[in-house]
Amino acid sequence: MSTSERLIESTRELLWERGYVGTSPKAILERSGAGQGSMYHHFKGKQDLALAAIRRTAEELLATAEEVLTVPGTPYERIEAYLRRERDVLRGCPIGRLTMDPDIVASDELRAPVDETLDQIRELIAGIVKEGKEQGQFGTQVDGEEIAATVLATVQGGYVLARASGSPAAFDTGVRGLLSLLRS
Amino acid sequence: MSTSERLIESTRELLWERGYVGTSPKAILERSGAGQGSMYHHFKGKQDLALAAIRRTAEELLATAEEVLTVPGTPYERIEAYLRRERDVLRGCPIGRLTMDPDIVASDELRAPVDETLDQIRELIAGIVKEGKEQGQFGTQVDGEEIAATVLATVQGGYVLARASGSPAAFDTGVRGLLSLLRS
DNA sequence: GTCTATACGATGATAGAC
DNA sequence: GTCTATCATCGTATAGAC
């Protein structure tokens, strides 16, 4: 792996573990094994490197979501697949966690990939719900965009509850609750 | 207000805005107007002061939740009151955001008030859902604990979506979706 | 492309005078 | 109780040699 690749991958890990404010260039250098000079040769600075890392993580997350949401099955089953997909719950969402970082939210450039990714996943889910409504699987009173936001929020909030309690159980409980409502 | 009070209040604000890793003793001193010596006289250090601040914020959040969840009305209406209560959505949850802070999650002492608060709110909601089931307002297939986790997760995740997009709208959309499911 | 040197303010705290 | 001084380390770079 090239030095620039190692820098990006190490930054991705650290951003996931410690967020943007909690990640120092020094920590990135130590983890990647790169030297000071290399980092500032390949990237303009911390923010520039973080941007590359976030963009890659965002792409990956979207790809995973697309994959899971297009498994064969009914609309309900595809949403269930998304909600129940394997996750490292206690690590939190590598994209969603960034929204709690003051420096990310303060920068339009850093926030953009976060916003776009969540938005695209939301649209995917909204389309599936719409399909389910047309097939009569969901009631006509439900709205695709709204349910999509609820599904995404349940996942993002599930991470919060799980990390608060130190156990993935709370995430699963919230998901089961939402699925029971989607079935009724 | 006493110096110690001003220190705690300033820390509460900064923890809400910037989290634990993003908050420096220096910033606290500047905001509170206190001097270095005062801070280390009243508190053992950053963590000790943060603990006092978090405990107070936790108490306040629980009190607000209790108040809203006991408004007169049906179980559905009380949960709706909780979901729709006035919030400074873009600021995020002063307690929930702490779960994305690596130093908070790494310390049992700092994490405890966060965990307990969310847990108590969850129990309050679970009790209300149970009541609603007994009154036949919710289907018998729904589980109080599960729905309570879903409600809390929708709120916590709503903050994430709102902050990602830079607008409170996503929070409201997720809430409306959940309410539509709870009605059906 | 990578390395070392250098810089300067911030971080988180201790010591001791008042 | 509060103030100022001092401290070692970290954070975030820039400069220039190799």
Side-chain angles (χ1 to χ4, degrees):
Chain A
M1 196 162 34
S2 71
T3 300
S4 135
E5 273 304 300
R6 274 184 294 117
L7 282 166
I8 292 179
E9 288 304 313
S10 299
T11 304
R12 297 214 301 149
E13 291 173 17
L14 282 163
L15 286 179
W16 197 352
E17 290 168 22
R18 306 197 39 85
Y20 185 82
V21 290
T23 297
S24 69
K26 191 187 182 195
I28 295 170
L29 297 179
E30 271 163 15
R31 186 167 300 207
S32 66
Q36 189 86 336
S38 298
M39 171 172 159
Y40 285 99
H41 171 73
H42 292 286
F43 301 95
K44 287 203 286 279
K46 176 184 172 177
Q47 167 155 351
D48 190 39
L49 173 49
L51 191 53
I54 292 171
R55 283 191 175 135
R56 183 172 299 178
T57 298
E59 272 172 31
E60 253 189 45
L61 189 70
L62 180 59
T64 302
E66 274 172 340
E67 203 181 318
V68 169
L69 283 168
T70 53
V71 296
T74 65
Y76 173 86
E77 284 164 354
R78 280 181 283 155
I79 290 172
E80 181 179 21
Y82 175 73
L83 286 167
R84 291 200 197 271
R85 86 156 226 249
E86 205 186 327
R87 292 165 199 275
D88 224 334
V89 172
L90 288 181
R91 293 182 76 190
C93 174
I95 289 299
R97 68 119 49 242
L98 298 175
T99 62
M100 294 304 141
D101 222 300
D103 292 5
I104 299 274
V105 173
S107 155
D108 284 341
E109 213 179 1
L110 290 174
R111 189 172 53 78
V114 174
D115 184 22
E116 283 160 19
T117 304
L118 294 176
D119 198 56
Q120 282 164 356
I121 298 177
R122 207 136 46 96
E123 282 313 306
L124 286 173
I125 298 174
I128 293 173
V129 173
K130 187 154 173 271
E131 217 180 296
K133 275 178 67 176
E134 285 160 3
Q135 298 175 12
Q137 193 170 19
F138 299 130
T140 52
Q141 78 291 354
V142 310
D143 176 84
E145 301 282 343
E146 288 180 3
I147 300 300
T150 307
V151 168
L152 217 48
T154 300
V155 167
Q156 294 295 329
Y159 287 123
V160 170
L161 302 184
R163 284 173 63 91
S165 65
S167 151
F171 183 100
D172 298 328
T173 305
V175 163
R176 280 202 304 280
L178 180 57
L179 286 172
S180 75
L181 293 177
L182 285 171
R183 273 193 307 269
S184 56
Chain B
M1 198 161 34
S2 72
T3 299
S4 137
E5 273 303 301
R6 273 184 293 120
L7 282 165
I8 293 179
E9 289 304 314
S10 299
T11 304
R12 298 215 299 150
E13 291 173 18
L14 282 163
L15 286 179
W16 196 353
E17 289 169 21
R18 306 195 43 84
Y20 185 82
V21 291
T23 296
S24 69
K26 192 188 182 195
I28 295 170
L29 297 180
E30 272 163 13
R31 187 167 301 208
S32 66
Q36 188 87 334
S38 298
M39 171 172 159
Y40 285 98
H41 172 74
H42 291 287
F43 301 94
K44 288 203 284 280
K46 176 182 173 178
Q47 168 157 349
D48 189 40
L49 174 50
L51 191 52
I54 293 172
R55 284 191 175 136
R56 182 170 302 178
T57 298
E59 273 172 31
E60 253 188 45
L61 189 70
L62 180 58
T64 301
E66 274 172 338
E67 203 180 320
V68 169
L69 284 168
T70 51
V71 296
T74 65
Y76 172 87
E77 283 164 355
R78 279 181 284 155
I79 290 171
E80 181 179 21
Y82 175 73
L83 286 167
R84 291 200 196 272
R85 85 156 227 248
E86 205 186 328
R87 293 165 198 275
D88 224 333
V89 171
L90 288 181
R91 293 182 76 189
C93 174
I95 288 299
R97 66 120 48 242
L98 297 175
T99 62
M100 294 304 141
D101 222 300
D103 292 5
I104 299 274
V105 173
S107 155
D108 284 340
E109 214 181 357
L110 289 174
R111 189 172 52 78
V114 174
D115 184 22
E116 284 159 20
T117 304
L118 294 176
D119 198 56
Q120 283 164 357
I121 298 177
R122 206 136 45 96
E123 282 314 306
L124 285 173
I125 298 174
I128 293 173
V129 173
K130 189 156 170 269
E131 217 181 296
K133 274 178 68 177
E134 286 161 2
Q135 299 175 12
Q137 192 171 17
F138 300 132
T140 52
Q141 78 289 355
V142 309
D143 176 83
E145 302 282 342
E146 287 180 5
I147 301 299
T150 306
V151 168
L152 218 47
T154 300
V155 167
Q156 293 295 328
Y159 287 123
V160 170
L161 301 184
R163 285 173 64 91
S165 65
S167 150
F171 183 101
D172 298 329
T173 305
V175 163
R176 279 201 304 278
L178 179 57
L179 286 173
S180 76
L181 293 176
L182 285 170
R183 271 193 308 268
S184 58

